[in-house]
Amino acid sequence: MQPMQLERILHAQGFGSRKECRSLIRAGHVSVAGTPCEDPYADFDPGSLDGSPGLAFSVGDEVWRFRARAYVMLHKPSGYECSQKPTFHPSVFTLLPPQLLARGVQCIGRLDQDTTGLLLLSDDGQFIHQWSSGKKRTPKLYEVTLKHPVDETFAAKLVAGVELHDEPAPIAATACELTSPTTLLMTLCEGKYHQVKRMVGAAGNRVEALHRSRVGGLTLDPALAPGQWRWLESADLQQLADYA
Ligand code: URA
């Protein structure tokens, strides 16, 4: 990558305005590849700060790797809204560090406030557009808990398609597997508003709990507790796209 001034590197990674980044550097809070640097205009190749041993920058006690774009997964807990300006509940954005917020990360699709599970966020406009577009027909796997017990005919009904208000044609699940009389694994390729709840309602039942465990070929990391997030690495991005 083109060399970049340290001040610009910090700014691009969400550490504040150029002026704030300059002050952090001049105050001696920043090291590059283990060596303190107090010159905000010193040039570094940001591509070399890739997090391999000794190749990162640190601000205070925290070690950071340069990432041209931010791609993250969040284990969304219940009781959080995906909106930047939530109405009744805290926003999922309160679960992220200030550096990610400063980079302007956005949710890729939305989950209801009471839905838990895999939520992707990024600051890459093209990526956000690509993965939130219904045209892509990305499969999303939901674990659904029902109010009333059902048998296989209920799952078959969802796969055959149900009529939804405001939809001209029946909407069908791509796959639906009964895992107990009150739990289903349901795969949808659209991203319609309240789609699981509306489909289950149209089939004559009610959703008691909803958890998204996979988007494309990417599964929610079981090491993430509700409310925790982590960066997506290139292997994760590959998995996301790998779902043929
Ligand atoms: N379908 C719903 O009904 N809610 C969600 O949060 C996601 C899919």
Side-chain angles (χ1 to χ4, degrees):
M1 283 176 87
Q2 286 285 323
M4 251 171 113
Q5 291 175 339
L6 187 53
E7 170 190 307
R8 286 176 185 268
I9 292 181
L10 258 59
H11 175 61
Q13 300 301 286
F15 284 90
S17 65
R18 295 265 299 277
K19 193 170 164 202
E20 286 163 342
C21 293
R22 206 177 308 143
S23 304
L24 274 174
I25 298 163
R26 288 203 168 126
H29 295 305
V30 180
S31 298
V32 180
T35 307
C37 179
E38 294 186 8
D39 177 4
Y41 305 115
D43 276 326
F44 295 93
D45 171 7
S48 73
L49 303 173
D50 62 2
S52 42
L55 290 175
F57 64 96
S58 51
V59 181
D61 295 339
E62 282 190 80
V63 179
W64 288 77
R65 159 181 164 190
F66 182 88
R67 296 175 192 261
R69 292 275 173 242
Y71 306 100
V72 306
M73 70 159 76
L74 170 72
H75 184 164
K76 182 193 172 295
S78 181
Y80 283 79
E81 292 182 27
C82 287
S83 167
Q84 301 262 10
K85 291 190 182 140
T87 337
F88 298 113
H89 302 274
S91 163
V92 290
F93 292 95
T94 62
L95 300 167
L96 300 175
Q99 291 82 1
L100 278 176
L101 303 183
R103 293 180 68 148
V105 295
Q106 291 176 40
C107 295
I108 300 172
R110 289 188 173 196
L111 294 175
D112 297 337
Q113 67 80 16
D114 53 354
T115 301
T116 59
L118 178 57
L119 183 66
L120 303 176
L121 299 105
S122 178
D123 65 351
D124 178 343
Q126 229 182 331
F127 182 87
I128 296 168
H129 177 73
Q130 181 190 1
W131 288 98
S132 23
S133 158
K135 282 195 204 126
K136 197 166 169 68
R137 294 194 57 78
T138 309
K140 284 152 282 229
L141 181 68
Y142 291 94
E143 299 171 14
V144 188
T145 306
L146 302 169
K147 185 173 172 79
H148 308 291
V150 295
D151 62 21
E152 292 294 347
T153 55
F154 187 81
K157 213 191 265 186
L158 293 171
V159 172
V162 290
E163 302 274 355
L164 295 184
H165 186 60
D166 284 348
E167 292 297 335
I171 304 288
T174 309
C176 194
E177 183 197 336
L178 207 60
T179 46
S180 85
T182 52
T183 53
L184 293 174
L185 284 177
M186 191 168 164
T187 305
L188 299 181
C189 287
E190 304 85 3
K192 295 186 186 297
Y193 184 65
H194 292 331
Q195 189 173 343
V196 174
K197 292 175 185 165
R198 288 161 70 213
M199 287 179 70
V200 166
N205 208 315
R206 197 186 144 86
V207 171
E208 287 284 283
L210 187 56
H211 178 83
R212 183 160 73 183
S213 50
R214 192 161 69 224
V215 174
L218 182 67
T219 302
L220 176 65
D221 186 336
L224 291 181
Q228 291 184 327
W229 69 277
R230 74 160 172 81
W231 296 100
L232 294 180
E233 306 300 344
S234 48
D236 298 309
L237 295 174
Q238 188 60 52
Q239 275 182 21
L240 175 65
D242 237 8
Y243 57 84

